[in-house]
Amino acid sequence: MTHLRKKGTADYCLRATGLTAQTMDWLREFQTDFDLNRSPHMSKSFTGVRVIDGVYQHCCFWDMLADAWTEDPVYMDPIRWRESPIAGECNLTANYDHVCTEFDRLLASHGYVREGAHYRVEKESEETITFFCHFGISSALISHLWNISPFILWFQTQMAPTSVSELVTQERTPGYAHFRAQRLGDISHLYVKKEEPSFAGRFCECYHNFNQRH
């Protein structure tokens, strides 16, 4: 767990359960050195990017316009996404490999060891590991578990603030574990309390609705 906002979310659960949390630097929101000031030719792939005194302000690479990636199959390829235009403009693959390595190290400490594209079960476990983290890093870690391009989750899903994603292992073959989602980006707890979900991370449903983020 890192970052004050995530810590604030976690504190509610920790107080209710009496448990404690461990801070892990690699679990911070997924970071890259992507900078439109170094890659101005990519600016047409985004909209609403702020420019102050001729300097592009920060933008998230997973906020690319759909018409900039839908016709390029490289983004959805489980291997070749590393060759995508956006990956070539920043340290995306190095950071992805780093967080996935740390993630696998954690899973191994709980008995699940990565071998190729699956996890070998060294020690069966029914314990639950809870992560308090943001959308970008969540998508990266889940894509690693599922052996798919992270862009599928970055581009095709949206996990609202305070949403809950739950994955469980299936061990239908002795010593062979597969991770499967029970829920992804679930916000039913907000509806129960009649809380309006945050629009953060979303964009306008209809182009001419200028009351929503473009």
Side-chain angles (χ1 to χ4, degrees), residues 6-71:
K6 287 183 288 185
K7 185 179 185 302
T9 303
D11 283 344
Y12 288 102
C13 296
L14 299 178
R15 287 198 299 269
T17 61
L19 299 175
T20 58
Q22 180 180 354
T23 299
M24 298 179 178
D25 287 340
W26 58 270
L27 203 56
R28 70 179 67 240
E29 178 59 313
F30 193 81
Q31 303 287 328
T32 73
D33 62 0
F34 177 66
D35 184 353
L36 279 177
N37 295 290
R38 295 201 304 268
S39 309
H41 62 284
M42 294 292 297
S43 62
K44 64 181 181 297
S45 299
F46 300 85
T47 187
V49 177
R50 293 189 303 158
V51 181
I52 300 177
D53 296 329
V55 178
Y56 286 106
Q57 303 303 294
H58 174 75
C59 67
C60 293
F61 62 88
W62 55 74
D63 284 344
M64 286 176 63
L65 291 168
D67 52 13
W69 57 262
T70 49
E71 302 302 323

Side-chain angles (χ1 to χ4, degrees), residues 83-102:
E83 304 167 10
S84 63
I86 198 73
E89 297 296 328
C90 59
N91 61 346
L92 189 157
T93 56
N95 284 349
Y96 180 88
D97 291 340
H98 169 67
V99 299
C100 291
T101 295
E102 294 299 322

Side-chain angles (χ1 to χ4, degrees), residues 96 100 138-151 153:
Y96 180 88
C100 291
S138 298
S139 297
L141 298 180
I142 294 172
S143 75
H144 179 60
L145 291 176
W146 289 350
N147 304 299
I148 62 175
S149 165
F151 285 105
L153 296 173

